[in-house]
């Protein structure tokens, strides 16, 4: 056996350095500041409602009307008399004038229904869902307004001197009606402004929501 085989291997083993890149990979991807700025500008749109009930009603009405008319046309083609309602409708349309109150009422009803359907088609709906800031390109999240009001109410109840809070969160503004049973009202209002302002920021909403505070003493009696 040679002398080289008996000598221990004194070569230095490679080491792994803890670089900032490796730490970032373990902690997950960092948020994109540009995406956060775009979300804070309020450019994230609302969620669109499926409008299932209006769509189902309109589809059923049109289907029933088309089916009844088609059945009557086929019956006439088969040398059967037309239905009484179609004969009556044809007679009335031939004799009524455009200034007749019934004609104007039917036209007004059709106009209102048409405007209602157009509004439903062009508006997003789901007013109870507040869009949240996107954290990924293909991910959208929303927060129910009642849940947001409950979170803010719990945050307000942690302020010293607050006895009860009635919280309401809208699309553009949050309103808090608080009752304070001790401490100066201005101090309670200042602490509520800080607590609820921080709570609104921590909700992660896409749109900035204003805050309105009303603090009063409890009613006597």
């Amino acid at each position: 056996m040679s002398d080289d085989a008996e000598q221990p291997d004194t070569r230095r083993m490679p080491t792994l350095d803890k670089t900032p890149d490796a730490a970032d990979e373990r902690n997950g991807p960092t948020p994109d500041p540009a995406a956060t700025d775009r979300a804070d500008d309020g450019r994230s749109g609302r969620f669109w409602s499926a409008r299932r009930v209006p769509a189902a009603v309109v589809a059923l009405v049109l289907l029933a009307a088309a089916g009844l008319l088609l059945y009557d046309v086929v019956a006439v083609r088969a040398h059967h008399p037309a239905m009484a309602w179609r004969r009556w409708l044809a007679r009335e349309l031939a004799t009524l004038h455009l200034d007749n109150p019934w004609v104007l009422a039917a036209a007004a009803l059709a106009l209102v229904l048409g405007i209602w359907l157009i509004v439903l088609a062009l508006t997003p709906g789901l007013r109870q869902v507040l869009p949240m800031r996107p954290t990924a390109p293909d991910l959208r999240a929303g927060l129910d307004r009642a849940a947001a009001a409950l979170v803010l109410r719990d945050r307000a109840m942690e302020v010293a001197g607050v006895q009860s809070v009635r919280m309401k969160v809208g699309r553009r503004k949050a309103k808090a009606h608080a009752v304070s049973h001790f401490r100066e009202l201005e101090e309670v209002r200042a602490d509520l402004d800080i607590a609820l302002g921080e709570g609104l920021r921590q909700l992660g909403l896409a749109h900035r929501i204003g805050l309105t505070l009303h603090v009063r003493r409890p009613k006597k009696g």
Side-chain angles (χ1 to χ4, degrees), residues 49-60:
S49 174
R51 310 288 192 188
R52 293 185 177 89
V53 175
V57 171
V58 172
L60 289 176

Side-chain angles (χ1 to χ4, degrees), residues 144-156:
D144 188 77
R145 283 162 52 181
L150 183 60
V151 171
L152 295 176
R153 175 188 173 277
D154 293 340
R155 176 65 68 91

Side-chain angles (χ1 to χ4, degrees), residues 53-71 85 110 113-114 116-117:
V53 175
V57 171
V58 172
L60 289 176
V61 170
L62 294 178
L63 180 63
L68 187 61
L69 182 61
L70 180 61
Y71 174 80
W85 66 268
L113 291 177
W116 176 61
L117 293 176

